């Protein structure tokens, strides 16, 4: 089975009140690094500590009052001797802000663990429930917000690294810098969507059982009418983001998702310049990424900082009252309880070498297409843009395999000459693939609306309305994609993950493995289908 486990270890053991045989009290606690301490000052030997012989948990106040050493002191000592990340392309001030967010992350993780333990103390339980609960939904929502805010910081770090790696004119096998920049934008958007859901639950928005009816714009409209940013700390911080950064992030995301890639737009703008040809010959795509995206890093970091301030208020809020959602009706949780876990086996369906065959066939057909008038050339650029998005997805698919087989680090460390493993996880590649397959769909819909003169075609799904033609292989391929289980299944996963919370995450390790393996399976199948569609379209244009 594909192992897509992103959950952390059982942290609750570090809060246990463990029995001390010296003073006969439940007075011992453990810390990471094999540190044990009895609050009565007994001499404790690790090998004699029975960590499963415990009676409840210490809360944070007790830990800081009773013990000499704790996680925050441990973390402070660690940070004194740890080196910050060095950035070579973004400004020093921007790099310092990212390093500060990475440090803050470590302290916030302790606060989130404290929230979970407080809940367990209140409920009188010693094991986290396997069945999804309201609290389980809320804490996973909070952890997901944190994941995506830090994911944005990691992607901005990779943007900086990639600008350096790809500076030479020769084609590099690594990702483009813009790949990671747009990942950061997408991660910020995911975090924002989840923050809005939390505030909607807290302040009384009536979520509908039909999850698609709970649009973000409806929740934000409700919050703006119900809350005063001057007197509500959480909403005050969100108001700042909405005023200063929301349009900036949204415009970049929408433009990149629905339109031609920004670097292609910029090349088009200067193509008429008599010096343009010389510039294209001397500069590679990485140059354009630096020129057009690097100036946006400052405002992108500001957006992360603003949402992180909202997030800290949320953590503070739930820490003060971790049971405030217990009696709330949460339709998302109720719907997700219906989620079925599947075991996905690696078989011929996951033959990633087959993607190469289809990609090469599409490429060889596309390069035969001649240039034409302005309208035709814009359509041709859309086809190439789709091709490059699909190629990015192929890279992600391969790297999920490398991570699964523990070959990612060795392969890329050797290829690019640096260790990037601390910035990478499987989930990032899967979600990056998912966002790009939908970006490719949007560009397909634009292309067909233009090339075939189709009306009322805004989204890929609108192409279902096109009358089938048995003699038109392009339409047949389109219909096959739109009616496939993989397309319909991925649409459901994408809507949940983009706007709320994945269903699998509520079921712990097994749920995440199941859901992400299914997403991965769908993406592998659909990227093959999309390359087929490109091939058939280019072939038809040549006939």
């Amino acid at each position: 089975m594909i192992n897509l486990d992103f959950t952390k270890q059982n942290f609750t053991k570090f809060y246990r009140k463990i029995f001390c045989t010296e003073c006969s009290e439940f007075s011992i606690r453990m810390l990471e690094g094999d540190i044990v301490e009895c609050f009565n000052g007994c001499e404790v030997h690790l090998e004699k500590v029975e960590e499963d012989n415990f009676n409840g948990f210490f809360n944070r106040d007790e830990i800081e009052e009773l013990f000499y050493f704790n996680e925050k002191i441990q973390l402070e000592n660690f940070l004194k001797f740890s080196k910050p990340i060095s950035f070579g392309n973004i400004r020093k001030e921007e790099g310092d802000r990212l390093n500060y967010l990475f440090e803050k992350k470590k302290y916030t993780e302790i606060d989130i663990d404290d929230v979970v333990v407080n809940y367990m103390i209140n409920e009188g339980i010693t094991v986290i429930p396997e069945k999804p609960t309201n609290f389980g939904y809320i804490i996973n929502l909070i952890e997901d917000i944190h994941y995506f805010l830090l994911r944005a910081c990691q992607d901005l770090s990779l943007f900086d690294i990639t600008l350096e790696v790809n500076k030479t004119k020769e084609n590099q096998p690594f990702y483009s810098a813009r790949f990671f920049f747009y990942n950061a934008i997408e991660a910020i958007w995911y975090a924002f969507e989840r923050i809005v859901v939390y505030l909607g639950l807290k302040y009384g928005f009536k979520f509908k059982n039909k999850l698609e009816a709970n649009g973000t714009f409806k929740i934000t409209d409700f919050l703006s009418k119900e809350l005063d940013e001057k007197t509500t700390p959480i909403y005050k911080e969100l108001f700042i983001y909405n005023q200063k950064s929301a349009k900036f992030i949204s415009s970049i995301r929408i433009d990149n998702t629905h339109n031609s890639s920004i670097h292609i737009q910029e090349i088009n703008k200067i193509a008429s310049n008599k010096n343009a040809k010389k510039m294209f010959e001397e500069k590679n795509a990485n140059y354009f990424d630096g020129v057009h995206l690097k100036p946006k890093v400052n405002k992108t970091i500001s957006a992360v900082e603003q949402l992180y301030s909202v997030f800290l208020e949320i953590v503070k809020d739930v820490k003060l009252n971790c049971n405030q959602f217990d009696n709330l009706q949460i339709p998302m949780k109720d719907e997700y309880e219906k989620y079925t876990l599947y075991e996905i086996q690696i078989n011929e369906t996951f033959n990633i070498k087959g993607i190469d065959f289809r990609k090469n066939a599409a490429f060889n057909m596309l390069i035969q297409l001649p240039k034409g008038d302005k309208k035709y050339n814009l359509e041709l650029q859309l086809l190439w843009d789709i091709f490059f998005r699909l190629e990015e997805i192929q890279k992600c698919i391969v790297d999920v395999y490398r991570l699964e087989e523990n070959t990612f680090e060795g392969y890329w460390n050797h290829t690019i000459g640096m260790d990037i493993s601390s910035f990478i996880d499987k989930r990032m590649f899967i979600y990056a693939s998912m966002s790009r397959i939908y970006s490719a769909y949007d560009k397909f819909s634009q292309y067909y609306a233009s090339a075939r003169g189709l009306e009322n075609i805004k989204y890929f799904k609108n192409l279902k309305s096109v009358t089938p033609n048995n003699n038109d292989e392009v339409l047949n391929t389109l219909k096959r994609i739109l009616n496939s289980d993989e397309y319909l299944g991925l649409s459901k996963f994408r809507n949940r993950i983009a706007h709320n919370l994945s269903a699998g995450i509520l079921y712990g390790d097994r749920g995440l493995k199941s859901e992400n393996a299914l997403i991965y399976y769908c993406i592998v199948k659909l990227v093959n289908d999309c390359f087929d569609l490109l091939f058939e379209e280019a072939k038809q244009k040549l006939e």
Side-chain angles (χ1 to χ4, degrees):
M1 187 180 72
I2 296 178
N3 177 18
L4 299 173
D5 178 11
F6 312 119
T7 56
K8 58 182 179 178
Q9 62 174 316
N10 179 17
F11 66 92
T12 59
K13 72 177 185 178
F14 300 119
Y15 291 78
R16 289 176 179 176
K17 296 179 176 179
I18 300 171
F19 187 73
C20 176
T21 56
E22 295 295 319
C23 60
S24 299
E25 290 188 50
F26 290 95
S27 53
I28 291 175
R29 78 173 294 247
M30 301 177 63
L31 274 83
E32 287 193 78
D34 295 335
I35 298 171
V36 290
E37 182 183 354
C38 172
F39 64 61
N40 287 323
C42 299
E43 186 175 340
V44 182
H45 298 283
L46 178 64
E47 63 274 10
K48 294 184 179 180
V49 173
E50 298 179 15
E51 62 180 81
D52 291 330
N53 185 9
F54 70 102
N55 182 26
F57 304 101
F58 295 106
N59 62 34
R60 179 56 51 190
D61 289 340
E62 290 172 326
I63 288 171
E64 293 186 355
E65 179 184 346
L66 296 173
F67 294 93
Y68 173 77
F69 208 54
N70 62 61
E71 290 88 348
K72 293 187 177 180
I73 294 173
Q74 196 175 34
L75 181 55
E76 286 170 7
N77 291 334
F78 169 77
L79 291 174
K80 285 178 184 177
F81 299 100
S82 61
K83 290 184 179 180
I85 299 165
S86 296
F87 296 93
N89 289 279
I90 63 175
R91 293 186 293 121
K92 181 180 182 303
E93 178 263 342
E94 294 165 347
D96 290 344
R97 288 158 64 196
L98 285 174
N99 274 314
Y100 179 72
L101 285 165
F102 284 127
E103 283 191 12
K104 187 181 285 188
K105 169 226 177 191
K106 301 177 190 299
Y107 288 99
T108 308
E109 285 178 339
I110 296 172
D111 290 334
I112 296 171
D113 290 348
D114 287 349
V115 171
V116 176
V117 170
N118 287 350
Y119 175 81
M120 296 175 74
I121 292 171
N122 290 349
E123 295 297 303
I125 58 178
T126 57
V127 178
I128 297 173
E130 289 187 11
K131 183 180 178 182
T133 63
N134 280 12
F135 176 78
Y137 175 86
I138 293 296
I139 204 68
N140 278 300
L141 193 65
I142 288 171
E143 295 235 359
D144 240 23
I145 296 168
H146 202 207
Y147 169 81
F148 284 114
L149 289 175
L150 268 297
R151 182 68 261 162
C153 295
Q154 290 172 314
D155 283 321
L156 288 172
S157 301
L158 287 165
F159 169 76
D160 179 89
I161 289 169
T162 309
L163 283 175
E164 190 65 32
V165 168
N166 292 344
K167 272 184 178 176
T168 56
K169 192 175 186 299
E170 291 77 23
N171 288 330
Q172 292 283 353
F174 195 52
Y175 297 84
S176 64
R178 61 187 170 275
F179 172 83
F180 294 112
F181 180 83
Y182 292 126
N183 281 358
I185 296 296
E186 200 75 8
I188 292 168
W189 181 65
Y190 281 156
F192 171 76
E193 293 280 319
R194 285 153 174 74
I195 285 171
V196 169
V197 169
Y198 181 90
L199 267 66
L201 288 168
K202 178 172 177 62
Y203 292 110
F205 177 81
K206 301 299 180 185
F207 284 86
K208 305 283 193 304
N209 289 326
K210 186 178 180 182
L211 303 189
E212 294 77 12
N214 303 315
T216 302
F217 71 94
K218 292 182 181 179
I219 305 173
T220 54
D221 184 56
F222 167 83
L223 294 173
S224 67
K225 293 174 182 176
E226 294 291 320
L227 302 178
D228 181 354
E229 71 274 7
K230 296 178 182 178
T231 58
T232 312
I234 301 177
Y235 189 62
K236 177 184 176 182
E237 298 296 339
L238 184 61
F239 186 81
I240 292 171
Y241 171 81
N242 286 335
Q243 291 292 306
K244 295 185 176 182
S245 298
K247 287 183 180 178
F248 170 77
I249 296 297
S250 181
S251 64
I252 293 176
R253 182 180 175 273
I254 290 171
D255 201 31
N256 180 62
T257 302
H258 302 295
N259 301 322
S260 292
S261 295
I262 290 174
H263 69 288
I264 291 178
Q265 296 178 39
E266 295 295 339
I267 289 171
N268 286 338
K269 287 179 185 177
I270 63 173
S272 59
N273 188 311
K274 63 181 180 180
N275 296 317
K277 184 177 179 181
K278 183 179 179 182
M279 186 189 307
F280 297 154
E281 289 173 350
E282 293 176 351
K283 308 293 183 182
N284 62 7
N286 193 61
Y287 167 81
F288 290 99
D289 290 347
V291 169
H292 298 293
L293 296 179
K294 200 160 60 168
K296 295 179 172 66
V297 169
N298 183 53
K299 284 197 73 173
T300 305
I301 296 173
S302 293
V304 177
E305 290 168 333
Q306 290 151 12
L307 288 181
Y308 208 97
S309 294
V310 185
F311 175 66
L312 291 177
E313 288 295 333
I314 288 174
V315 174
K316 189 187 302 181
D317 175 66
V318 77
K319 193 171 184 179
L320 286 171
N321 184 1
C322 56
N323 294 91
Q324 59 182 292
F325 299 97
D326 284 0
N327 298 318
L328 197 65
Q329 186 69 26
I330 304 180
M332 295 79 76
K333 180 192 75 81
D334 298 337
E335 176 64 24
Y336 292 173
E337 285 182 354
K338 303 172 187 175
Y339 179 75
T340 303
L341 302 182
Y342 296 93
E343 301 293 330
I344 302 294
Q345 301 294 327
I346 296 178
N347 53 38
E348 67 278 0
T349 311
F350 287 91
N351 179 14
I352 58 177
K353 291 182 180 179
I355 302 174
D356 244 354
F357 173 80
R358 288 174 166 83
K359 180 186 80 172
N360 292 334
F363 177 82
N364 291 330
M365 196 62 70
L366 282 171
I367 59 174
Q368 297 181 56
L369 294 176
K371 290 186 178 180
D373 59 22
K374 184 177 180 180
K375 176 178 175 292
Y376 179 93
N377 288 340
L378 288 173
E379 291 166 1
L380 186 58
Q381 285 175 351
L382 276 172
L383 291 179
W384 277 111
D385 210 0
I386 292 167
F387 177 86
F388 291 126
R389 298 296 170 111
L390 297 177
E391 192 175 46
E392 285 181 332
I393 296 168
Q394 182 193 21
K395 285 185 178 181
C396 293
I397 288 169
V398 172
D399 277 333
V400 169
Y401 265 97
R402 287 189 179 123
L403 286 166
E404 175 63 23
E405 298 298 317
N406 295 316
T407 60
F408 177 92
E409 187 174 342
Y411 178 83
W412 283 120
N413 287 8
H414 172 74
T415 303
I416 66 176
M418 62 180 71
D419 184 4
I420 60 168
S421 57
S422 62
F423 300 110
I424 294 293
D425 62 63
K426 296 171 190 172
R427 190 179 183 187
M428 180 271 283
F429 285 123
I430 288 173
Y431 288 4
S433 299
M434 188 164 59
S435 70
R436 279 160 180 79
I437 201 85
Y438 279 91
S439 178
Y441 288 155
D442 283 345
K443 295 177 200 305
F444 269 128
S445 64
Q446 279 188 52
Y447 172 81
Y448 285 114
S450 175
R452 298 201 175 209
L454 301 175
E455 296 181 356
N456 303 316
I457 302 296
K458 185 178 180 181
Y459 301 111
F460 191 69
K461 63 183 178 181
N462 300 142
L463 290 165
K464 279 189 174 183
S465 63
V466 178
T467 304
N469 183 342
N470 291 334
N471 297 320
D472 192 330
E473 199 58 43
V474 170
L475 284 181
N476 292 338
T477 304
L478 262 175
K479 291 291 184 179
R480 188 177 77 243
I481 294 171
L482 286 163
N483 293 321
S484 68
D485 290 339
E486 291 81 12
Y487 175 82
L488 297 172
L490 190 64
S491 296
K492 192 171 185 179
F493 284 126
R494 189 254 181 186
N495 287 333
R496 288 173 172 177
I497 291 167
H499 303 293
N500 200 289
L501 189 67
S502 71
I505 205 167
L506 293 181
Y507 293 84
D509 297 1
R510 188 166 170 246
L512 285 166
K513 292 174 187 177
S514 169
E515 181 178 79
N516 285 285
L518 281 169
I519 293 171
Y520 188 70
Y521 163 77
C522 291
I523 289 169
V524 171
K525 177 67 168 60
L526 291 168
V527 78
N528 278 295
D529 290 343
C530 286
F531 274 128
D532 285 345
L533 183 58
L534 268 182
F535 173 85
E536 295 297 339
E537 180 59 36
K539 180 182 176 184
Q540 194 173 92
K541 287 178 84 70
L542 284 169
E543 291 174 350

